[in-house]
Amino acid sequence: MPADLPGMLNSMLATSPATPGTEAPKEDHSIRAFLFGDSHADSHHFLEKAWERAPKEIACAAAASALVSPLVSIIDKCLVQEISGTSQFMKAIGQQTKQMIVQPKRFFGGLSFSLTFAVYFGTYAVANLSELAMDMNKVKDDESRKTIKVAASGVANIGLLLWRDSIFARVYSNTSPRPTPMRTLGLFAVRDMSTMYATFYLAPRAAEYLEKEHGVESNTAELSMALTIPAAIQILTAPLHIHALDFYSNNGPSSIHALDFYSRPASANVTSADRWSLIKKDFRTVSFARSFRILPAFGIGSFSNNKFRELFIRQDDENLLLTRRITNMLEPGTGATMTA
C-alpha cells in the first residue's frame, strides 16, 4: 500500500465531480430586490430587446414611485414646516395624513406629492434605464456597473431633490418667496451626496465586513446594512438639512430685492448662536424623520421597483412573470408540470 494513500484519497475527493443527478446549490440573490445600490450583472436575466424593455422599465419606476411618494412627501413637507416654524411636526403629520384619507384628490393632486413623485420616478427610471443600457452593451464587471449606476442615478436623485427642496422651501416656509441661496443648495447637495455614498459604498463594505469578520449570513448582512447605514448617515446630515432651511427662511428681505438680498442679510439679528439653538431644538425630530423615510425611499421603493420588473419583463425564468403566475394559479396541474 502506498505510504501517501490518505493524501491521494483526499486529493481525489477534493477534485471529484459532483454526484450525478445533483447540482451545486444556486446562490440566493432574492434579497437584492431590496437593495437600491445593487448593480450585479446576475441579479436579473432579462431577455427582451431594448425597445420592448424600456417602456416597461419606465412604467415600473412610475409604479414604485407612486407607492413611496405619499409617505415621503408628507414627512418632507412637514419637516420644512417644523424648521421654518409654520407648524409643529406631529400636528402637520396629522393634518397631511387626514387630507390624504379624507381628500385624496386634493392630496394626490397637490404640489408636495407631485414633486416627490417626480423625484423618485426620475431616480428609479434612470437607475432602471442605466441597467438596461449596461445589459444591452454586455457590461458584466460589477465594479463598472456600480460606477455607471452611481453616476446616473446619483445625478438624477441629487438634481431632482435640489429642485424639489428649493420649491418646498419657497412654498412651505414662513418667508416670502426668494431665490434659493447657494449655501442652501450646497448643503442640500452635500446631504444627498452623503446618502448616495452611504447607499452604494458604505453599506456594501459594512455588509462585507460583517460577513467576513463576524460570520453573518450574506443576505442578512446585505439587507441590514442597506437600510441601517443610509438611515444612520441622516443623523450626521440632519444639521445640514436644518441649517439649509433655516438659512433660507432667515436670510434675505421680506420681499424680493435682488441687490439687497445678495449684499446683506435682512435678519441682521440672527446670530450663529440662534442658528445652533434651532439645530439643537429640531435635531431629534429631523434626524429621526429623515432616518425613517429611508425605509420607503430605498427599501420599499427599491423592492417594489425590482418586483414590478420581475413580474412584467420577460426573463429566463418565465415562471416569475405575472401572467405565468396567474396561469399556474388557475391551472395547478400545468403549474406543477412547468415548475418541476
Side-chain angles (χ1 to χ4, degrees):
M1 178 182 293
D4 61 342
L5 181 58
M8 294 170 61
L9 290 173
N10 287 336
S11 176
M12 291 172 63
L13 289 172
T15 57
S16 60
T19 305
T22 64
E23 293 182 0
K26 288 185 178 180
E27 187 179 351
D28 181 15
H29 297 319
S30 58
I31 205 69
R32 291 180 182 169
F34 288 94
L35 311 180
F36 180 72
D38 175 50
S39 54
H40 292 84
D42 59 351
S43 293
H44 301 286
H45 300 280
F46 296 129
L47 303 177
E48 294 185 357
K49 295 179 180 179
W51 65 270
E52 295 175 294
R53 182 176 159 187
K56 295 181 181 180
E57 294 281 19
I58 295 171
C60 291
S65 179
L67 287 178
V68 305
S69 294
L71 179 57
V72 175
S73 67
I74 289 174
I75 291 174
D76 289 351
K77 176 181 177 179
C78 295
L79 282 177
V80 176
Q81 294 176 318
E82 163 74 19
I83 295 168
S84 65
T86 58
S87 180
Q88 293 182 345
F89 180 72
M90 291 308 299
K91 180 181 179 181
I93 287 284
Q95 291 172 341
Q96 288 299 302
T97 303
K98 180 180 178 181
Q99 184 187 80
M100 180 177 66
I101 297 170
V102 178
Q103 299 176 295
K105 184 176 181 180
R106 182 178 178 186
F107 176 84
F108 290 105
L111 182 67
S112 176
F113 174 82
S114 301
L115 294 181
T116 304
F117 174 85
V119 168
Y120 289 99
F121 168 61
T123 300
Y124 298 142
V126 169
N128 291 355
L129 292 175
S130 69
E131 288 195 36
L132 167 61
M134 289 186 287
D135 291 344
M136 293 299 106
N137 288 282
K138 304 188 185 307
V139 179
K140 300 296 183 184
D141 179 66
D142 287 341
E143 284 304 313
S144 297
R145 292 178 68 90
K146 176 185 285 189
T147 300
I148 294 170
K149 187 174 180 179
V150 169
S153 57
V155 168
N157 182 255
I158 294 169
L160 288 168
L161 279 172
L162 285 177
W163 165 69
R164 188 208 65 166
D165 286 351
S166 64
I167 296 175
F168 271 27
R170 289 199 298 272
V171 175
Y172 300 125
S173 66
N174 62 350
T175 189
S176 300
R178 57 170 60 93
T180 307
M182 286 304 299
R183 183 191 297 188
T184 295
L185 292 174
L187 290 169
F188 284 157
V190 173
R191 175 202 67 188
D192 297 329
M193 285 189 287
S194 299
T195 300
M196 296 301 286
Y197 182 77
T199 300
F200 281 97
Y201 290 101
L202 293 183
R205 290 178 184 176
E208 185 179 353
Y209 172 79
L210 289 178
E211 187 178 351
K212 290 183 177 180
E213 301 298 328
H214 296 280
V216 179
E217 195 271 331
S218 176
N219 284 334
T220 302
E222 287 187 3
L223 179 59
S224 60
M225 292 301 98
L227 297 178
T228 302
I229 298 297
I233 208 73
Q234 305 310 308
I235 298 173
L236 300 178
T237 60
L240 304 181
H241 184 74
I242 297 169
H243 181 57
L245 291 170
D246 175 42
F247 190 78
Y248 177 87
S249 297
N250 295 294
N251 187 70
S254 57
S255 59
I256 299 177
H257 299 291
L259 291 177
D260 287 342
F261 172 73
Y262 288 110
S263 62
R264 64 169 180 83
S267 304
N269 58 334
V270 178
T271 64
S272 297
D274 294 328
R275 297 199 187 280
W276 276 113
S277 178
L278 181 64
I279 289 173
K280 286 188 284 185
K281 180 180 83 70
D282 288 333
F283 176 76
R284 289 184 181 180
T285 299
V286 173
S287 58
F288 172 78
R290 285 192 57 80
S291 296
F292 179 76
R293 73 187 283 284
I294 289 296
L295 178 60
F298 290 102
I300 297 171
S302 178
F303 177 78
S304 58
N305 177 46
N306 284 320
K307 281 302 175 182
F308 284 137
R309 298 169 74 204
E310 182 180 281
L311 288 170
F312 294 104
I313 302 176
R314 187 166 54 86
Q315 53 194 294
D316 53 2
D317 184 1
E318 293 197 358
N319 287 315
L320 295 174
L321 289 170
L322 179 62
T323 52
R324 187 60 59 87
R325 290 186 181 190
I326 294 174
T327 302
N328 291 348
M329 216 173 9
L330 296 176
E331 302 177 12
T334 304
T337 301
M338 293 177 64
T339 56

